[in-house]
Amino acid sequence: MSEERRSETSAQSPAQTQTQPPTGTPVVGPALPEPTTTNRKLIIAITIGVVIILAITIGIIVLLYNNPGPTAVIRDIFIIVLAVVSFLIGFLMLVLIIQLQSLIALLRNEIILPT
């Protein structure tokens, strides 16, 4: 059986045998950086921020659920604001398409292609 193993290793090119670690040796990847105090502080700050935003959101939902009158008014105002923003985005998309069309025309007329 050892002769079979030797014939397998001799059939491999030298480049293949150099890149493979010897059997029994654990493969170790690149070392990961140790967490620093700045990273820990950032993670703690982000976690606290997410918890605060979640608490405020839950509080708003509870208040709106308990007061259906003001909730209807807020909903109507929000729908109007969304409609206005949708019209604004549509108008700006038209302006963008017109500007893109003029840029394409400029490039077609001004760029001289080598022949």
Side-chain angles (χ1 to χ4, degrees):
M1 187 174 251
S2 63
E3 290 179 23
E4 292 175 6
R5 184 166 211 125
R6 286 181 193 163
S7 64
E8 288 176 9
T9 57
S10 63
Q12 295 175 349
S13 68
Q16 289 176 340
T17 57
Q18 290 176 357
T19 58
Q20 296 175 350
T23 55
T25 306
V27 178
V28 179
L32 297 175
E34 291 294 322
T36 60
T37 56
T38 307
N39 289 343
R40 289 183 184 152
K41 288 180 183 179
L42 181 63
I43 291 171
I44 291 171
I46 290 173
T47 305
I48 290 173
V50 167
V51 169
I52 289 173
I53 290 173
L54 187 63
I56 290 172
T57 304
I58 291 172
I60 289 172
I61 290 171
V62 168
L63 287 174
L64 291 176
Y65 184 74
N66 291 333
N67 301 317
T71 302
V73 172
I74 293 171
R75 181 198 61 213
D76 293 341
I77 292 172
F78 188 71
I79 290 171
I80 292 169
V81 168
L82 281 176
V84 169
V85 169
S86 295
F87 283 126
L88 181 65
I89 289 173
F91 174 73
L92 292 176
M93 287 295 290
L94 287 174
V95 170
L96 178 66
I97 290 171
I98 292 169
Q99 291 295 322
L100 187 60
Q101 184 180 12
S102 66
L103 175 65
I104 291 170
L106 176 75
L107 290 174
R108 281 185 182 164
N109 295 332
E110 295 296 324
I111 292 181
I112 300 172
L113 296 175
T115 57

